[in-house]
Amino acid sequence: MHFTVIYSEEAIETFESIGQQLQAKWGEKEVNEFRKRAYKVIEIISKFPLIFQAINNSENVRKAFIHKNCSMFYRIGDTRIEVLFFWDNRQEPIF
């Protein structure tokens, strides 16, 4: 079963923000690589939503690593997955 993937407003904003940071620091090639990795992870979770680590003993919220410097948090619903936000792993921990 494939899950439908939707994006929260915060997910869109944080995705774009990380892309802008990469563009400013390393250029278009790194932005494209980040996007490629993110889309691949989203494709994987649409097929296998439980593959990544659950957060704080919650089966519904999970953390997927995009790159050593970036993670994506998502929530699993009955028929869909909501991408909550992207996180720069170099920031202060949120949990």
Side-chain angles (χ1 to χ4, degrees):
M1 173 181 167
H2 279 280
F3 285 73
T4 301
V5 178
I6 62 167
Y7 300 85
S8 71
E9 187 67 34
E10 188 173 0
I12 295 167
E13 290 172 10
T14 54
F15 183 80
E16 291 301 319
S17 176
I18 290 171
Q20 290 170 358
Q21 291 171 20
L22 291 171
Q23 175 70 38
K25 193 160 186 171
W26 288 295
E28 192 66 30
K29 182 178 177 185
E30 289 301 318
V31 173
N32 291 336
E33 185 62 31
F34 164 69
R35 289 182 178 153
K36 185 174 154 183
R37 287 180 187 207
Y39 296 142
K40 183 66 177 171
V41 167
I42 291 166
E43 180 183 334
I44 291 168
I45 65 170
S46 74
K47 297 174 187 171
F48 309 102
L50 302 176
I51 195 167
F52 291 103
Q53 172 187 358
I55 300 301
N56 290 343
N57 299 322
S58 170
E59 285 298 312
N60 293 338
V61 178
R62 296 184 171 256
K63 177 182 179 180
F65 282 95
I66 305 297
H67 181 272
K68 68 180 181 179
N69 293 332
C70 182
S71 296
M72 178 185 74
F73 289 78
Y74 64 97
R75 180 182 305 127
I76 304 169
D78 291 333
T79 60
R80 67 184 194 176
I81 293 169
E82 180 182 14
V83 178
L84 301 172
F85 58 91
F86 291 82
W87 184 259
D88 184 335
N89 294 330
R90 297 168 294 178
Q91 298 179 91
E92 289 290 320
I94 57 175
F95 296 106

XYZ file of all heavy atoms in Angstrom:
810
model
N 0.834 -1.186 0.000
C 0.000 0.000 0.000
C 0.877 1.247 0.000
O 1.801 1.369 0.794
C -0.886 -0.016 1.248
C -1.682 1.220 1.448
S -2.658 1.092 2.954
C -3.152 2.764 3.124
N 0.590 2.159 -0.888
C 1.279 3.452 -0.916
C 0.485 4.458 -0.107
O -0.731 4.540 -0.228
C 1.395 3.978 -2.351
C 2.519 3.372 -3.111
N 3.809 3.795 -2.966
C 2.547 2.379 -4.021
C 4.585 3.096 -3.755
N 3.840 2.217 -4.407
N 1.175 5.218 0.704
C 0.560 6.297 1.458
C 0.680 7.587 0.644
O 1.688 7.813 -0.021
C 1.269 6.487 2.798
C 0.948 5.435 3.811
C 1.460 4.154 3.695
C 0.137 5.724 4.895
C 1.175 3.179 4.628
C -0.161 4.759 5.832
C 0.357 3.484 5.704
N -0.329 8.430 0.717
C -0.267 9.752 0.123
C 0.588 10.619 1.026
O 0.455 10.572 2.249
C -1.679 10.348 0.015
O -2.482 9.488 -0.775
C -1.644 11.735 -0.595
N 1.463 11.402 0.444
C 2.335 12.281 1.224
C 1.855 13.718 1.064
O 1.661 14.194 -0.061
C 3.806 12.162 0.767
C 4.687 13.126 1.546
C 4.301 10.736 0.926
N 1.640 14.381 2.201
C 1.285 15.803 2.194
C 2.340 16.560 2.991
O 3.059 15.970 3.803
C -0.135 16.051 2.754
C -0.219 15.609 4.211
C -1.190 15.368 1.906
C -1.467 16.089 4.916
N 2.410 17.855 2.761
C 3.422 18.691 3.401
C 2.753 19.782 4.220
O 1.886 20.489 3.707
C 4.314 19.343 2.338
C 5.028 18.339 1.475
C 4.404 17.797 0.350
C 6.298 17.906 1.784
C 5.042 16.858 -0.441
C 6.949 16.966 0.997
C 6.312 16.457 -0.111
O 6.936 15.526 -0.881
N 3.191 19.933 5.463
C 2.699 21.045 6.273
C 3.328 22.331 5.755
O 4.335 22.312 5.025
C 3.074 20.842 7.745
O 4.473 21.013 7.927
N 2.754 23.445 6.134
C 3.315 24.742 5.763
C 4.736 24.873 6.302
O 5.632 25.372 5.616
C 2.429 25.874 6.304
C 2.833 27.240 5.820
C 2.624 27.436 4.325
O 1.676 26.885 3.756
O 3.450 28.152 3.725
N 4.961 24.397 7.519
C 6.300 24.455 8.118
C 7.293 23.586 7.349
O 8.457 23.957 7.190
C 6.257 24.029 9.585
C 7.572 24.246 10.296
C 7.504 23.991 11.782
O 6.437 23.640 12.308
O 8.563 24.137 12.427
N 6.838 22.451 6.843
C 7.720 21.589 6.054
C 8.178 22.317 4.790
O 9.357 22.272 4.430
C 7.019 20.290 5.684
N 7.270 22.994 4.134
C 7.613 23.740 2.921
C 8.603 24.857 3.248
O 9.611 25.031 2.560
C 6.341 24.297 2.248
C 5.469 23.133 1.765
C 6.678 25.253 1.112
C 4.061 23.521 1.373
N 8.338 25.584 4.324
C 9.214 26.695 4.714
C 10.609 26.204 5.100
O 11.612 26.799 4.690
C 8.592 27.469 5.869
C 7.370 28.267 5.485
C 6.656 28.872 6.674
O 7.205 28.829 7.807
O 5.548 29.400 6.489
N 10.684 25.145 5.904
C 11.995 24.663 6.350
C 12.768 24.009 5.210
O 13.993 24.117 5.160
C 11.871 23.712 7.552
O 10.958 22.640 7.240
C 11.387 24.445 8.794
N 12.063 23.359 4.289
C 12.715 22.777 3.111
C 13.366 23.878 2.283
O 14.527 23.767 1.882
C 11.687 21.993 2.291
C 12.258 21.291 1.098
C 12.911 20.079 1.239
C 12.122 21.828 -0.174
C 13.429 19.410 0.129
C 12.633 21.172 -1.284
C 13.289 19.966 -1.128
N 12.624 24.944 2.038
C 13.150 26.070 1.257
C 14.284 26.768 1.993
O 15.281 27.162 1.377
C 12.031 27.055 0.917
C 11.031 26.519 -0.073
C 11.656 26.124 -1.401
O 12.538 26.847 -1.895
O 11.261 25.082 -1.946
N 14.157 26.921 3.283
C 15.194 27.580 4.082
C 16.514 26.817 4.025
O 17.586 27.415 3.835
C 14.728 27.717 5.533
O 15.744 28.256 6.333
N 16.449 25.521 4.174
C 17.665 24.705 4.093
C 18.260 24.783 2.688
O 19.471 24.900 2.520
C 17.381 23.256 4.535
C 17.131 23.227 6.043
C 18.536 22.328 4.154
C 16.640 21.911 6.586
N 17.414 24.766 1.685
C 17.893 24.913 0.308
C 18.606 26.241 0.087
O 19.654 26.300 -0.557
N 18.074 27.311 0.657
C 18.703 28.625 0.530
C 20.058 28.667 1.244
O 21.015 29.256 0.739
C 17.778 29.707 1.086
C 16.558 29.943 0.243
C 15.536 30.841 0.917
O 15.712 31.273 2.046
N 14.448 31.112 0.208
N 20.126 28.039 2.408
C 21.398 27.987 3.139
C 22.446 27.228 2.327
O 23.600 27.660 2.239
C 21.207 27.308 4.494
C 20.400 28.105 5.481
C 20.068 27.291 6.724
O 20.714 26.301 7.032
N 19.045 27.725 7.439
N 22.047 26.110 1.750
C 22.977 25.331 0.926
C 23.428 26.123 -0.300
O 24.603 26.100 -0.658
C 22.324 24.013 0.493
C 22.089 22.990 1.588
C 21.246 21.835 1.055
C 23.400 22.483 2.147
N 22.489 26.813 -0.925
C 22.802 27.612 -2.106
C 23.837 28.686 -1.766
O 24.808 28.865 -2.497
C 21.525 28.269 -2.645
C 21.740 29.213 -3.810
C 22.128 28.490 -5.074
O 21.633 27.425 -5.359
N 23.022 29.083 -5.834
N 23.637 29.363 -0.658
C 24.535 30.450 -0.271
C 25.933 29.945 0.081
O 26.927 30.607 -0.205
C 23.948 31.212 0.917
N 25.979 28.763 0.705
C 27.271 28.273 1.188
C 28.008 27.396 0.174
O 29.224 27.495 0.043
C 27.061 27.504 2.488
C 28.335 27.228 3.229
C 28.080 26.915 4.671
C 29.409 26.799 5.385
N 29.271 26.709 6.809
N 27.283 26.518 -0.543
C 27.963 25.547 -1.406
C 27.514 25.559 -2.865
O 28.109 24.892 -3.697
C 27.789 24.136 -0.843
C 28.593 23.926 0.393
C 29.952 23.930 0.495
C 28.097 23.698 1.702
N 30.321 23.722 1.800
C 29.197 23.565 2.570
C 26.824 23.586 2.242
C 29.074 23.332 3.924
C 26.695 23.354 3.599
C 27.815 23.231 4.415
N 26.421 26.215 -3.190
C 26.022 26.318 -4.584
C 24.909 25.367 -4.994
O 24.414 24.553 -4.213
N 24.546 25.478 -6.259
C 23.395 24.762 -6.823
C 23.555 23.244 -6.792
O 22.576 22.517 -6.593
C 23.166 25.235 -8.261
C 21.839 24.789 -8.833
C 20.642 25.413 -8.133
O 20.747 26.539 -7.624
O 19.590 24.751 -8.097
N 24.751 22.761 -6.964
C 24.972 21.314 -6.972
C 24.542 20.679 -5.644
O 23.875 19.639 -5.623
C 26.443 21.008 -7.250
C 26.750 19.536 -7.328
C 28.210 19.294 -7.652
C 28.500 17.802 -7.645
N 29.908 17.515 -7.832
N 24.893 21.312 -4.540
C 24.518 20.777 -3.223
C 23.015 20.893 -2.976
O 22.426 20.030 -2.333
C 25.299 21.480 -2.113
C 26.761 21.102 -2.085
C 26.989 19.609 -1.891
O 26.307 18.977 -1.068
O 27.870 19.065 -2.582
N 22.404 21.958 -3.462
C 20.950 22.108 -3.339
C 20.259 20.974 -4.071
O 19.338 20.345 -3.549
C 20.478 23.480 -3.885
C 18.958 23.562 -3.903
C 21.070 24.614 -3.076
N 20.698 20.691 -5.287
C 20.107 19.606 -6.072
C 20.300 18.254 -5.398
O 19.394 17.417 -5.410
C 20.683 19.588 -7.486
C 20.228 20.776 -8.301
O 19.190 21.378 -8.030
N 21.012 21.141 -9.297
N 21.468 18.037 -4.809
C 21.735 16.778 -4.100
C 20.818 16.639 -2.881
O 20.273 15.570 -2.619
C 23.210 16.712 -3.679
C 23.599 15.404 -3.048
C 23.456 14.202 -3.971
O 23.620 14.349 -5.191
O 23.174 13.105 -3.452
N 20.639 17.721 -2.139
C 19.737 17.717 -0.984
C 18.311 17.379 -1.425
O 17.649 16.523 -0.830
C 19.778 19.078 -0.280
C 18.639 19.321 0.657
C 18.525 18.598 1.841
C 17.674 20.276 0.371
C 17.465 18.824 2.711
C 16.618 20.505 1.231
C 16.512 19.775 2.402
N 17.832 18.041 -2.447
C 16.475 17.784 -2.940
C 16.314 16.341 -3.407
O 15.306 15.696 -3.116
C 16.139 18.749 -4.065
C 15.942 20.152 -3.589
C 15.569 21.078 -4.700
N 15.348 22.410 -4.166
C 15.504 23.517 -4.845
N 15.863 23.466 -6.124
N 15.294 24.689 -4.290
N 17.315 15.852 -4.124
C 17.280 14.471 -4.615
C 17.183 13.479 -3.451
O 16.377 12.548 -3.483
C 18.535 14.217 -5.449
C 18.612 12.889 -6.116
C 19.851 12.881 -7.013
C 20.371 11.492 -7.224
N 21.594 11.469 -8.012
N 17.992 13.700 -2.425
C 17.960 12.818 -1.249
C 16.619 12.904 -0.523
O 16.059 11.897 -0.102
C 19.075 13.174 -0.278
C 20.435 12.775 -0.747
C 21.471 13.159 0.280
N 22.814 12.939 -0.231
C 23.845 12.689 0.524
N 23.713 12.644 1.836
N 25.024 12.499 -0.001
N 16.113 14.121 -0.363
C 14.837 14.311 0.329
C 13.707 13.602 -0.414
O 12.894 12.888 0.195
C 14.528 15.798 0.481
N 13.649 13.767 -1.726
C 12.589 13.126 -2.505
C 12.705 11.600 -2.468
O 11.691 10.897 -2.447
C 12.588 13.631 -3.946
C 12.265 15.112 -4.064
C 12.906 15.903 -5.000
C 11.324 15.717 -3.230
C 12.617 17.260 -5.119
C 11.036 17.070 -3.340
C 11.679 17.830 -4.275
O 11.390 19.166 -4.384
N 13.923 11.095 -2.431
C 14.127 9.643 -2.338
C 13.618 9.115 -0.997
O 12.938 8.082 -0.942
C 15.615 9.309 -2.535
C 15.901 7.843 -2.517
C 15.272 7.149 -3.706
C 15.636 5.690 -3.720
N 14.888 4.951 -4.717
N 13.930 9.833 0.076
C 13.451 9.423 1.406
C 11.924 9.480 1.453
O 11.277 8.571 1.988
C 14.084 10.289 2.520
C 13.375 10.092 3.850
C 15.564 9.976 2.648
N 11.338 10.506 0.884
C 9.872 10.621 0.860
C 9.257 9.473 0.068
O 8.236 8.902 0.472
C 9.455 12.001 0.312
C 9.850 13.079 1.331
C 7.971 12.049 0.003
C 9.811 14.490 0.804
N 9.877 9.108 -1.022
C 9.404 7.960 -1.806
C 9.456 6.674 -0.972
O 8.522 5.874 -0.982
C 10.262 7.805 -3.060
C 9.851 6.656 -3.942
C 10.785 6.498 -5.141
O 11.410 7.485 -5.569
O 10.876 5.366 -5.640
N 10.536 6.493 -0.225
C 10.685 5.306 0.622
C 9.618 5.273 1.710
O 8.978 4.245 1.922
C 12.098 5.240 1.231
C 13.129 4.946 0.137
C 12.175 4.198 2.347
C 14.566 5.145 0.568
N 9.401 6.401 2.403
C 8.421 6.377 3.491
C 6.996 6.235 2.977
O 6.129 5.757 3.709
C 8.545 7.579 4.447
C 8.225 8.894 3.755
C 9.890 7.595 5.140
C 8.095 10.069 4.690
N 6.743 6.622 1.725
C 5.394 6.424 1.190
C 5.079 4.936 1.030
O 3.924 4.529 1.079
C 5.224 7.152 -0.141
O 5.904 6.497 -1.181
N 6.129 4.124 0.882
C 5.954 2.678 0.745
C 6.146 1.948 2.073
O 5.483 0.954 2.351
C 6.950 2.129 -0.268
C 6.767 2.663 -1.660
C 7.865 2.195 -2.586
C 7.758 2.870 -3.929
N 8.929 2.602 -4.777
N 7.090 2.430 2.865
C 7.452 1.783 4.133
C 7.507 2.825 5.250
O 8.587 3.212 5.685
C 8.814 1.086 4.007
C 8.927 0.179 2.826
C 9.613 0.561 1.679
C 8.326 -1.076 2.851
C 9.717 -0.279 0.591
C 8.423 -1.926 1.752
C 9.115 -1.532 0.622
N 6.370 3.300 5.718
C 6.366 4.425 6.668
C 7.006 4.133 8.032
O 7.417 5.057 8.714
C 4.884 4.757 6.824
C 4.166 3.544 6.388
C 5.034 2.872 5.368
N 7.127 2.887 8.401
C 7.681 2.553 9.716
C 9.191 2.327 9.688
O 9.777 1.953 10.700
C 6.986 1.306 10.277
C 5.481 1.408 10.440
C 4.909 0.079 10.904
C 5.100 2.523 11.385
N 9.827 2.587 8.567
C 11.240 2.259 8.395
C 12.170 3.112 9.262
O 13.224 2.651 9.672
C 11.634 2.342 6.905
C 12.961 1.659 6.669
C 11.657 3.775 6.419
C 13.278 1.420 5.206
N 11.779 4.341 9.569
C 12.648 5.225 10.332
C 12.270 5.248 11.812
O 11.194 4.810 12.209
C 12.634 6.637 9.751
C 13.306 6.710 8.407
C 12.560 6.787 7.242
C 14.684 6.683 8.302
C 13.167 6.847 6.001
C 15.312 6.737 7.058
C 14.555 6.815 5.914
N 13.157 5.797 12.611
C 13.063 5.815 14.073
C 11.842 6.588 14.580
O 11.592 7.712 14.167
C 14.340 6.456 14.624
C 14.345 6.726 16.096
C 15.574 7.520 16.510
O 16.436 7.839 15.704
N 15.651 7.832 17.777
N 11.111 5.971 15.508
C 10.000 6.636 16.177
C 10.558 7.643 17.186
O 11.618 7.439 17.767
C 9.107 5.619 16.881
N 9.835 8.723 17.402
C 10.260 9.781 18.308
C 9.496 9.688 19.619
O 8.267 9.639 19.629
C 10.015 11.171 17.662
C 10.787 11.292 16.364
C 10.368 12.303 18.614
C 12.276 11.128 16.494
N 10.238 9.670 20.727
C 9.646 9.671 22.074
C 8.544 8.633 22.248
O 7.460 8.944 22.719
C 9.126 11.063 22.426
C 10.242 12.048 22.634
O 11.396 11.682 22.835
N 9.911 13.322 22.585
N 8.815 7.432 21.838
C 7.878 6.315 21.985
C 6.543 6.535 21.280
O 5.547 5.922 21.621
C 7.638 5.995 23.466
C 8.913 5.584 24.146
O 9.750 4.890 23.565
N 9.094 6.012 25.382
N 6.510 7.414 20.308
C 5.305 7.636 19.521
C 5.457 6.887 18.205
O 6.388 7.137 17.449
C 5.119 9.132 19.240
O 4.092 9.317 18.292
N 4.575 5.979 17.943
C 4.639 5.224 16.685
C 4.271 6.088 15.490
O 4.619 5.772 14.369
C 3.709 4.010 16.751
C 4.246 2.891 17.597
C 5.562 2.329 17.069
O 5.655 2.039 15.866
O 6.495 2.193 17.874
N 3.565 7.193 15.726
C 3.071 8.002 14.618
C 4.041 9.067 14.132
O 3.949 9.492 12.990
C 1.749 8.666 14.997
C 0.657 7.649 15.180
O 0.737 6.550 14.665
N -0.368 8.005 15.933
N 4.934 9.550 14.985
C 5.885 10.587 14.575
C 7.262 9.965 14.473
O 7.731 9.303 15.396
C 5.896 11.779 15.563
C 6.928 12.815 15.144
C 4.517 12.408 15.654
N 7.914 10.205 13.343
C 9.209 9.572 13.078
C 10.204 10.562 12.502
O 9.822 11.600 11.966
C 9.035 8.390 12.133
C 8.188 7.320 12.807
C 8.053 6.082 11.993
N 7.424 5.084 12.820
C 8.055 4.065 13.378
N 9.332 3.881 13.191
N 7.409 3.194 14.130
N 11.473 10.209 12.632
C 12.569 11.054 12.160
C 13.339 10.305 11.085
O 13.858 9.221 11.319
C 13.497 11.377 13.330
C 14.701 12.190 12.958
C 15.568 12.409 14.203
C 16.806 13.210 13.903
N 17.629 13.400 15.119
N 13.420 10.906 9.909
C 14.154 10.308 8.794
C 15.392 11.146 8.505
O 15.302 12.367 8.386
C 13.264 10.268 7.550
N 16.535 10.501 8.407
C 17.762 11.209 8.073
C 17.846 11.408 6.560
O 17.754 10.454 5.801
C 18.993 10.446 8.559
C 19.224 10.607 10.034
C 18.745 9.670 10.921
C 19.900 11.721 10.525
C 18.940 9.819 12.282
C 20.099 11.887 11.876
C 19.622 10.935 12.765
N 18.016 12.653 6.163
C 18.218 12.997 4.758
C 19.718 12.987 4.477
O 20.177 12.507 3.454
C 17.644 14.394 4.438
C 16.177 14.503 4.824
C 17.873 14.759 2.979
C 15.238 13.602 4.097
N 20.456 13.526 5.412
C 21.904 13.695 5.316
C 22.394 13.846 6.750
O 21.592 14.132 7.642
C 22.187 14.964 4.499
C 23.633 15.259 4.297
N 24.354 16.002 5.190
C 24.486 14.930 3.304
C 25.599 16.122 4.765
N 25.697 15.465 3.620
N 23.677 13.699 6.987
C 24.160 13.814 8.361
C 23.828 15.171 8.976
O 23.719 15.291 10.184
C 25.658 13.545 8.437
C 26.519 14.586 7.770
C 27.978 14.246 7.888
C 28.824 15.326 7.222
N 30.239 15.044 7.330
N 23.595 16.182 8.146
C 23.276 17.511 8.646
C 21.798 17.863 8.586
O 21.416 18.959 8.975
C 24.061 18.572 7.868
C 25.543 18.479 8.125
O 25.970 18.042 9.185
N 26.329 18.876 7.156
N 20.952 16.961 8.094
C 19.540 17.294 7.929
C 18.653 16.069 8.147
O 18.946 14.986 7.651
C 19.293 17.857 6.534
S 17.586 18.356 6.264
N 17.563 16.288 8.879
C 16.556 15.249 9.101
C 15.184 15.790 8.722
O 14.990 17.000 8.623
C 16.530 14.822 10.571
O 17.738 14.229 10.938
N 14.256 14.869 8.553
C 12.882 15.221 8.251
C 11.986 14.513 9.263
O 12.182 13.332 9.557
C 12.532 14.750 6.835
C 11.109 15.017 6.429
S 10.743 14.302 4.817
C 10.652 12.572 5.234
N 11.022 15.236 9.804
C 10.080 14.654 10.747
C 8.736 14.498 10.048
O 8.313 15.398 9.307
C 9.944 15.547 11.976
C 11.184 15.526 12.841
C 12.309 16.253 12.493
C 11.214 14.751 13.988
C 13.450 16.223 13.274
C 12.358 14.715 14.779
C 13.473 15.450 14.422
N 8.087 13.365 10.284
C 6.811 13.104 9.631
C 5.877 12.338 10.559
O 6.295 11.682 11.497
C 7.009 12.355 8.316
C 7.603 10.963 8.430
C 6.784 9.834 8.436
C 8.983 10.774 8.521
C 7.322 8.564 8.521
C 9.523 9.503 8.610
C 8.689 8.405 8.612
O 9.230 7.133 8.710
N 4.586 12.468 10.271
C 3.537 11.799 11.048
C 2.800 10.828 10.141
O 2.430 11.171 9.012
C 2.550 12.821 11.599
C 1.428 12.197 12.413
C 0.420 13.210 12.929
N 1.068 14.255 13.693
C 0.921 15.556 13.468
N 0.156 15.979 12.492
N 1.540 16.444 14.213
N 2.573 9.633 10.652
C 1.875 8.592 9.897
C 0.402 8.603 10.272
O 0.049 8.495 11.454
C 2.474 7.203 10.188
C 3.970 7.197 9.898
C 1.737 6.133 9.386
C 4.682 5.966 10.408
N -0.461 8.728 9.279
C -1.896 8.629 9.482
C -2.412 7.304 8.940
O -1.626 6.417 8.586
N -3.710 7.171 8.860
C -4.304 5.929 8.367
C -4.004 5.681 6.888
O -3.731 4.560 6.483
C -5.820 5.939 8.575
C -6.190 5.865 10.052
O -5.398 5.307 10.842
O -7.271 6.368 10.409
N -4.080 6.735 6.091
C -3.880 6.580 4.656
C -2.868 7.567 4.088
O -2.618 7.563 2.885
C -5.205 6.774 3.886
O -5.691 8.093 4.157
C -6.214 5.725 4.282
N -2.328 8.417 4.948
C -1.401 9.423 4.447
C -0.266 9.681 5.431
O -0.347 9.343 6.603
C -2.107 10.730 4.122
C -2.647 11.428 5.341
C -3.405 12.650 4.953
N -3.628 13.471 6.138
C -4.197 14.635 6.118
N -4.628 15.147 4.989
N -4.351 15.318 7.222
N 0.763 10.295 4.909
C 1.908 10.706 5.701
C 2.015 12.213 5.576
O 1.967 12.758 4.464
C 3.201 10.043 5.193
C 3.111 8.545 5.450
C 4.431 10.657 5.842
C 4.182 7.749 4.783
N 2.146 12.880 6.719
C 2.324 14.327 6.708
C 3.769 14.650 7.062
O 4.238 14.297 8.140
C 1.396 15.000 7.705
C 1.564 16.505 7.714
C 0.687 17.209 8.737
O 0.135 16.531 9.625
O 0.577 18.432 8.654
N 4.462 15.296 6.150
C 5.809 15.782 6.438
C 5.626 17.022 7.300
O 4.979 17.990 6.883
C 6.592 16.101 5.144
C 7.964 16.660 5.483
C 6.715 14.857 4.278
N 6.177 16.959 8.513
C 5.975 18.036 9.473
C 6.965 19.178 9.286
O 6.580 20.340 9.245
C 6.072 17.492 10.902
C 5.069 16.398 11.250
C 5.384 15.793 12.602
C 3.647 16.958 11.216
N 8.262 18.839 9.222
C 9.297 19.849 9.022
C 10.636 19.187 8.760
O 10.815 18.003 9.010
C 9.423 20.801 10.222
C 9.719 20.127 11.531
C 11.026 19.942 11.958
C 8.696 19.683 12.356
C 11.307 19.317 13.172
C 8.963 19.067 13.563
C 10.272 18.884 13.972
N 11.559 19.980 8.238
C 12.940 19.561 8.043
C 13.761 20.231 9.130
O 13.441 21.338 9.575
C 13.430 19.971 6.650
C 12.771 19.193 5.547
C 11.521 19.543 5.077
C 13.397 18.076 5.009
C 10.899 18.818 4.080
C 12.784 17.339 4.009
C 11.536 17.712 3.546
N 14.821 19.568 9.563
C 15.604 20.049 10.694
C 17.090 19.981 10.375
O 17.584 18.944 9.939
C 15.296 19.185 11.915
C 15.978 19.653 13.150
C 17.118 19.144 13.716
C 15.570 20.720 14.001
N 17.440 19.836 14.843
C 16.511 20.814 15.050
C 14.503 21.621 13.961
C 16.401 21.773 16.047
C 14.400 22.560 14.966
C 15.337 22.622 15.992
N 17.775 21.084 10.607
C 19.240 21.124 10.473
C 19.809 20.486 11.739
O 19.647 21.019 12.831
C 19.711 22.570 10.321
C 21.191 22.696 10.072
O 21.959 21.777 10.462
O 21.608 23.719 9.510
N 20.430 19.341 11.618
C 20.927 18.586 12.783
C 22.017 19.305 13.551
O 22.361 18.887 14.656
C 21.429 17.208 12.350
C 20.312 16.340 11.850
O 19.170 16.454 12.270
N 20.639 15.466 10.910
N 22.547 20.379 13.013
C 23.584 21.127 13.715
C 22.976 22.117 14.701
O 23.682 22.726 15.475
C 24.478 21.854 12.712
C 25.234 20.865 11.807
C 25.878 21.557 10.658
N 24.825 22.107 9.783
C 25.047 22.814 8.709
N 26.269 23.092 8.342
N 24.049 23.261 7.980
N 21.665 22.263 14.712
C 20.971 23.123 15.662
C 20.872 22.442 17.015
O 21.161 21.268 17.150
C 19.550 23.431 15.177
C 19.491 24.171 13.871
C 18.072 24.414 13.460
O 17.508 25.430 13.791
N 17.498 23.453 12.759
N 20.393 23.190 17.998
C 20.144 22.608 19.309
C 19.131 21.471 19.158
O 18.183 21.588 18.382
C 19.562 23.664 20.259
C 20.552 24.729 20.679
C 21.616 24.180 21.598
O 21.311 23.360 22.473
O 22.781 24.590 21.426
N 19.314 20.380 19.898
C 18.341 19.277 19.821
C 16.939 19.732 20.238
O 16.800 20.573 21.119
C 18.879 18.257 20.809
C 20.304 18.628 21.037
C 20.405 20.101 20.794
N 15.939 19.168 19.591
C 14.556 19.537 19.926
C 13.927 18.563 20.896
O 12.854 18.814 21.410
C 13.692 19.683 18.662
C 13.698 18.419 17.842
C 14.120 20.876 17.861
C 12.771 18.461 16.646
N 14.595 17.437 21.147
C 14.051 16.457 22.095
C 15.031 16.201 23.191
O 16.192 16.184 23.034
C 13.721 15.142 21.384
C 12.647 15.284 20.351
C 12.955 15.251 19.001
C 11.339 15.492 20.724
C 11.970 15.399 18.048
C 10.356 15.640 19.778
C 10.672 15.589 18.425
